[in-house]
């Protein structure tokens, strides 16, 4: 993500560690933090739920009840209000600063979005949508990336209607983050949840049968839903279509199989359930930005 020309023209560099430039609107505040020298154990806390997203450089995050982890560009972190962050900056330099955005969103705005989701897109078996009450670290998908890039522009733009523009973008951002969180829960806990949740059962079935044909029609029957309702419910809760989810899981498996230099590309795509090499190549490249053969070759060079 790129910071706008308006940001650089308006910001003042007053501190070398976590220099803060802030923009406040009705339902959210955007803070851009820049660190221009190495530092350790820097403390930061917000009084509202916050989305932190790395723009440039590297942080090491220390959060309560969690092991420390690297926080890198393209990744985001959701934190509840009053959560203390302890941060190291191992690579920051004056001419190559670490940059991160932190967006504090009003709890009233979040509650209204949750009410809207529960009314118009209720969960199938798992109660109501609610704000996660733990630290959620994830990689931005293309939808979230584009929203954050747009919000960076809107907050720094001098426009009389930007409160309205930002409000609309915040609603989509909150929905997409909750769907991303739901997708993570279903993927990581599908086995435990599958006995009492139809979507968890389907996710578990998909992951155990990636090598077999997986048609939406057959999956909807296993979920005891019509095909159209299954598709709608799946996309509402997980944020992606069943086919995209299946392909994502197959590509995860392919990445694992490609670690073996003795595996042929044909063996890999057949074990992952792809019907042809051309389709496998297209799906793999769309997600990894490189052809599977080139990906495997690079792994072997590094090894």
């Amino acid at each position: 993500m790129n910071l706008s020309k308006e940001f650089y023209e308006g910001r003042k560099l007053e501190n070398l560690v976590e220099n803060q430039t802030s923009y406040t609107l009705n339902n959210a505040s955007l803070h851009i933090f820049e660190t221009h020298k190495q530092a350790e154990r820097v403390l930061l806390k917000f009084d509202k739920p916050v989305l932190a997203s790395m723009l440039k450089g590297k942080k090491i995050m220390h959060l309560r009840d969690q092991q420390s982890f690297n926080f890198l560009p393209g990744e985001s972190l959701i934190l509840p209000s009053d959560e203390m962050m302890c941060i190291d900056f191992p690579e920051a330099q004056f001419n190559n600063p670490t940059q991160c955005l932190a967006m504090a969103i009003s709890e009233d705005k979040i509650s209204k979005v949750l009410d809207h989701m529960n009314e118009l897109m209720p969960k199938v078996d798992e109660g109501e949508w609610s704000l996660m009450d733990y630290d959620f670290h994830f990689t931005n998908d293309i939808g979230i990336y584009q929203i954050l890039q747009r919000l960076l522009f809107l907050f720094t733009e001098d426009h009389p209607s930007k409160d309205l523009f930002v409000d609309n973008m915040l609603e989509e951002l909150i929905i997409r983050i909750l769907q991303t969180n739901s997708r993570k829960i279903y993927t990581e806990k599908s086995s435990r949840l599958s006995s009492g949740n139809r979507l968890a059962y389907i996710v578990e079935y998909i992951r155990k049968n990636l090598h077999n044909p997986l048609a939406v029609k057959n999956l909807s029957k296993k979920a005891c839903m019509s095909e159209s309702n299954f598709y709608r419910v799946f996309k509402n809760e997980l944020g992606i279509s069943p086919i995209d989810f299946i392909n994502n899981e197959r590509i995860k498996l392919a990445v694992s199989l490609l670690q073996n230099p003795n595996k042929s590309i044909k063996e890999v795509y057949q074990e992952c359930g792809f019907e042809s090499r051309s389709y496998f190549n297209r799906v793999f490249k769309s997600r990894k930005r490189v052809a599977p053969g080139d990906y495997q070759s690079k792994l072997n060079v590094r090894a």
Side-chain angles (χ1 to χ4, degrees):
M1 281 180 282
N2 299 313
L3 294 169
S4 67
K5 180 181 69 174
E6 287 77 12
F7 166 78
Y8 286 107
E9 289 176 348
R11 76 95 145 89
K12 295 179 180 178
L13 185 57
E14 299 174 333
N15 302 295
L16 293 181
V17 177
E18 291 292 69
N19 188 76
Q20 180 177 344
T21 305
S22 298
Y23 307 86
T24 301
L25 296 176
N26 286 339
N27 288 308
S29 299
L30 178 70
H31 311 278
I32 306 295
F33 292 94
E34 299 176 275
T35 296
H36 290 75
K37 69 175 184 179
Q38 293 181 15
E40 294 182 347
R41 317 303 290 184
V42 178
L43 301 179
L44 187 62
K45 183 170 69 171
F46 294 90
D47 62 0
K48 294 182 178 63
V50 66
L51 162 72
S53 189
M54 283 295 291
L55 305 177
K56 183 179 178 183
K58 173 183 174 180
K59 292 182 179 182
I60 300 176
M61 305 294 293
H62 310 278
L63 303 176
R64 62 179 172 90
D65 303 327
Q66 283 196 15
Q67 291 185 341
S68 302
F69 60 90
N70 293 336
F71 194 23
L72 303 171
E75 298 178 351
S76 292
L77 178 66
I78 304 295
L79 293 165
S81 57
D82 298 316
E83 174 85 354
M84 181 63 73
M85 294 176 268
C86 182
I87 311 168
D88 298 338
F89 300 86
E91 299 177 355
Q93 300 176 19
F94 187 79
N95 293 321
N96 189 27
T98 297
Q99 295 176 333
C100 180
L101 72 81
M103 191 180 314
I105 304 173
S106 77
E107 296 193 40
D108 181 60
K109 177 65 176 178
I110 295 171
S111 295
K112 288 179 180 178
V113 175
L114 289 171
D115 289 343
H116 184 74
M117 293 175 73
N118 284 317
E119 179 183 356
L120 298 181
M121 44 191 292
K123 291 190 171 186
V124 60
D125 289 318
E126 187 64 18
E128 294 190 333
W129 291 99
S130 61
L131 185 66
M132 64 284 282
D133 58 358
Y134 55 89
D135 307 320
F136 176 35
H137 177 210
F138 62 96
T139 300
N140 301 330
D141 62 23
I142 186 63
I144 290 175
Y145 172 88
Q146 290 177 342
I147 293 171
L148 292 176
Q149 186 69 71
R150 178 66 176 163
L151 284 169
L152 278 172
F153 170 77
L154 291 174
F155 269 97
T156 57
E157 184 188 26
D158 182 17
H159 195 290
S161 301
K162 70 178 182 178
D163 255 313
L164 178 61
F165 297 158
V166 167
D167 263 6
N168 290 334
M169 298 302 296
L170 285 176
E171 181 163 346
E172 182 179 352
L173 178 64
I174 293 167
I175 292 172
R176 286 185 181 270
I177 288 172
L178 289 169
Q179 289 172 331
T180 300
N181 181 58
S182 182
R183 189 160 68 244
K184 181 179 181 181
I185 291 172
Y186 277 129
T187 302
E188 294 182 352
K189 301 179 181 180
S190 59
S191 179
R192 181 167 63 84
L193 298 173
S194 59
S195 62
N197 183 287
R198 281 178 284 179
L199 285 188
Y201 169 75
I202 294 300
V203 167
E204 181 74 357
Y205 179 84
I206 289 170
R207 299 179 74 203
K208 288 182 176 179
N209 291 274
L210 292 173
H211 57 289
N212 292 322
L214 293 168
V216 172
K217 182 178 181 179
N218 293 333
L219 293 175
S220 63
K221 287 181 179 178
K222 289 183 177 296
C224 300
M225 300 181 195
S226 69
E227 189 171 347
S228 60
N229 189 44
F230 171 74
Y231 184 94
R232 179 186 61 79
V233 167
F234 194 102
K235 193 161 187 178
N236 278 350
E237 289 202 35
L238 278 73
I240 58 176
S241 71
I243 295 301
D244 282 339
F245 180 84
I246 291 166
N247 282 338
N248 286 348
E249 292 300 306
R250 283 175 166 162
I251 294 305
K252 288 179 189 177
L253 176 58
V255 166
S256 176
L257 295 174
L258 288 168
Q259 312 291 320
N260 183 351
N262 297 318
K263 282 275 187 186
S264 70
I265 300 300
K266 182 177 181 179
E267 288 175 318
V268 171
Y269 81 71
Q270 288 181 339
E271 288 183 40
C272 294
F274 287 99
E275 295 181 358
S276 69
R277 177 162 182 168
S278 60
Y279 184 55
F280 170 57
N281 286 349
R282 186 162 70 251
V283 175
F284 192 98
K285 196 169 184 178
S286 71
R287 283 150 175 81
K288 296 298 178 182
R289 301 292 183 263
V290 63
D294 293 337
Y295 183 88
Q296 188 179 45
S297 297
K298 288 180 181 178
L299 289 175
N300 293 335
V301 169
R302 287 201 293 269

